[in-house]
Amino acid sequence: MIRVALRIGFALVLVLAASVGAGAAPERARPNILFIITDDQDLAELGYLQGRALTPNIDRLAMGGIRFNRAYVATSICTPSRYSCLTGQYASRSCSQWFEREITAEGVTRVLWNIGLTPGQPTLPKVLRASGYRTGFVGKWHIGGMSGMKRVEKGADPADPEVRALLEENQRRAAEILRGYGFDFAKSIYMGNPNDDRSLVNCGMNVHNMEWLTQAGLEFIDENRDAPFFLYFSTTLTHVPKPLDSLRGDPRASGVGLLDEPISGVQPSRESVMRRCQEAGVPEALWAATWLDDGIGALVDRLDRHGLLENTLIFYFVDNGMAEHAKGTCYEGGLIVPTFVHWKGHIEPAESDVMIQNIDFTPTILDAAGVPPPEDMVIDGMSFLPLLRGEPFEG
């Protein structure tokens, strides 16, 4: 593919000029940020990449934005990848106890699931919050630090009020921890993969529930539509446990136990997902991608309903590459990830062969918001906002 020159409308220049200096401009002039990170999403699960999945909402966003053909992750597994997104750092800079205790006397490190944030560490949401942004978290965390959780006994009934109370207490504890990392709002939280949470496994609630995540994302947008916001929307789809089992399973199953009623009205029904996929001839293994797509579409529709779409910079990023079974390797199949940036009315549709990396998201978002990083925030990445402006840029 050839590298293309990217142009951006005069309106974006005005927005960026107005936002220089935190607090110097009217709040509405500062762009909202919706950062969508999906989990182990394969190329076949993205229609715009000529996959066989039915993903019309994601496809529209991608084809209406800048699609990066050479977007890399610094590490090809989820935990360090997520760390880099929220810090702008290589994961090897982590100072968490789990990481440091595995560093050898010779200084050799093991960058795996041992990466975590430390309480006083500057993060993207912390810096944005300090500058007046409202910050929200929905979905999968998986960057450690989730201590003090209650344990649900094996074989527990997820409909039992006591079990639900324990799981709801875990949610409150997780939200408190996430506030310490910079998030004002945190709901529908999975501490890691559903299959890794023994309490969820023990009561059979280690399932995906896309509606549960979408509902929380819509709540955040509704509550903060009159102020600049940053929403980190992190799906569990399309990772394990088997997404199709969850799609066909009890829709009341969630991270807080068995709900009294299924969540309805936030996105198209699960029955609709299966019907549309059958009619389109989509293989069953790819149906969950449509379930995910419906949730993303609901968020975008809500932004549009509130008149926020043209003032919302949307990032779409898959946490690690899944091509050629290369996750966890140094092969490009595990390192190059589907990534695009969409900003209606400001970014013209294009493909770019410029190399970017997930350590570049934090400086780019801060740059777009007109927020300088604090002096004690070490950032390894670089802003690719000039690329969005149509200026010369080398990744």
Side-chain angles (χ1 to χ4, degrees):
M1 302 180 193
I2 61 170
R3 183 177 301 180
V4 299
L6 303 173
R7 294 182 291 115
I8 206 152
F10 181 63
L12 175 58
V13 177
L14 291 178
V15 167
L16 293 171
S19 66
V20 174
E27 288 198 332
R28 179 47 59 211
R30 307 171 72 188
N32 303 312
I33 310 295
L34 172 58
F35 190 92
I36 301 168
I37 176 170
T38 66
D39 200 356
D40 275 17
Q41 192 171 14
D42 193 87
L43 301 181
E45 296 170 327
L46 290 161
Y48 81 93
L49 291 177
Q50 300 182 346
R52 297 187 64 189
L54 184 65
T55 56
N57 296 298
I58 294 170
D59 296 349
R60 277 193 294 272
L61 286 177
M63 299 308 292
I66 299 173
R67 303 174 300 284
F68 291 95
N69 299 319
R70 301 179 69 201
Y72 284 79
V73 289
T75 313
S76 62
I77 54 174
C78 55
T79 297
S81 177
R82 293 160 191 272
Y83 175 96
S84 293
C85 290
L86 290 174
T87 63
Q89 296 180 352
Y90 292 115
S92 56
R93 287 192 184 273
S94 173
C95 295
S96 73
Q97 58 180 323
W98 311 284
F99 182 64
E100 291 191 330
R101 71 187 177 195
E102 294 189 3
I103 300 176
T104 70
E106 297 78 21
V108 177
T109 62
R110 297 175 71 246
V111 178
L112 292 168
W113 295 274
N114 53 353
I115 302 300
L117 298 169
T118 53
Q121 180 176 0
T123 63
L124 173 61
K126 274 187 181 179
V127 176
L128 289 174
R129 182 171 67 182
S131 75
Y133 270 74
R134 288 283 296 169
T135 57
F137 176 93
V138 173
K140 176 183 172 180
W141 177 241
H142 215 195
I143 316 179
M146 291 292 175
S147 60
M149 300 300 165
K150 305 290 186 180
R151 176 60 65 91
V152 172
E153 296 301 320
K154 188 173 183 179
D157 180 358
D160 185 330
E162 292 187 4
V163 172
R164 288 180 56 175
L166 285 177
L167 294 175
E168 288 169 357
E169 177 59 30
N170 286 347
Q171 286 286 306
R172 286 190 289 271
R173 172 62 181 156
E176 179 184 339
I177 291 169
L178 290 173
R179 277 193 290 273
Y181 293 134
F183 293 102
D184 301 301
F185 173 107
K187 282 193 174 180
S188 299
I189 305 161
Y190 288 96
M191 287 50 155
N193 297 320
N195 277 356
D196 298 336
D197 188 327
R198 296 312 306 169
S199 288
L200 295 183
V201 172
N202 286 346
C203 64
M205 293 292 100
N206 54 319
V207 298
H208 304 280
N209 189 324
M210 189 64 201
E211 295 86 0
W212 191 51
L213 304 190
T214 301
Q215 182 183 59
L218 296 176
E219 180 181 342
F220 177 81
I221 292 171
D222 288 346
E223 288 182 358
N224 298 285
R225 62 182 181 270
D226 294 325
F229 64 73
F230 168 73
L231 174 58
Y232 182 89
F233 190 82
S234 174
T235 73
T236 58
L237 293 171
T238 53
H239 197 282
V240 296
K242 292 180 180 179
L244 189 59
D245 290 347
S246 296
L247 179 63
R248 286 173 163 162
D250 192 333
R252 298 173 299 162
S254 77
V256 288
L258 204 62
L259 304 173
D260 293 331
E261 298 289 340
I263 296 170
S264 62
V266 299
Q267 64 181 77
S269 69
R270 298 184 185 191
E271 292 76 13
S272 166
V273 170
M274 293 183 278
R275 174 180 51 77
R276 282 177 283 141
C277 287
Q278 285 179 322
E279 292 174 351
V282 176
E284 288 188 357
L286 301 178
W287 286 6
T290 303
W291 191 19
L292 165 64
D293 182 78
D294 283 346
I296 302 304
L299 297 181
V300 174
D301 287 347
R302 187 60 57 89
L303 290 170
D304 197 22
R305 185 185 307 174
H306 289 317
L308 299 175
L309 198 52
E310 293 190 5
N311 196 46
T312 302
L313 183 56
I314 302 173
F315 292 77
Y316 191 97
F317 170 74
V318 180
D319 64 343
N320 47 248
M322 295 295 292
E324 301 171 348
H325 305 286
K327 175 181 176 178
T329 75
C330 291
Y331 293 108
E332 287 202 334
L335 293 170
I336 294 182
V337 294
T339 302
F340 62 81
V341 180
H342 179 100
W343 195 352
K344 183 180 179 182
H346 301 292
I347 293 177
E348 292 193 6
E351 286 189 3
S352 174
D353 288 336
V354 173
M355 186 183 297
I356 63 169
Q357 199 171 42
N358 56 340
I359 57 172
D360 298 329
F361 290 132
T362 282
T364 301
I365 290 170
L366 292 178
D367 200 2
V371 178
E375 292 183 1
D376 62 342
M377 187 176 193
V378 177
I379 293 180
D380 295 311
M382 62 186 297
S383 170
F384 55 82
L385 190 63
L387 176 64
L388 307 185
R389 288 172 168 165
E391 300 171 1
F393 179 83
E394 293 184 7

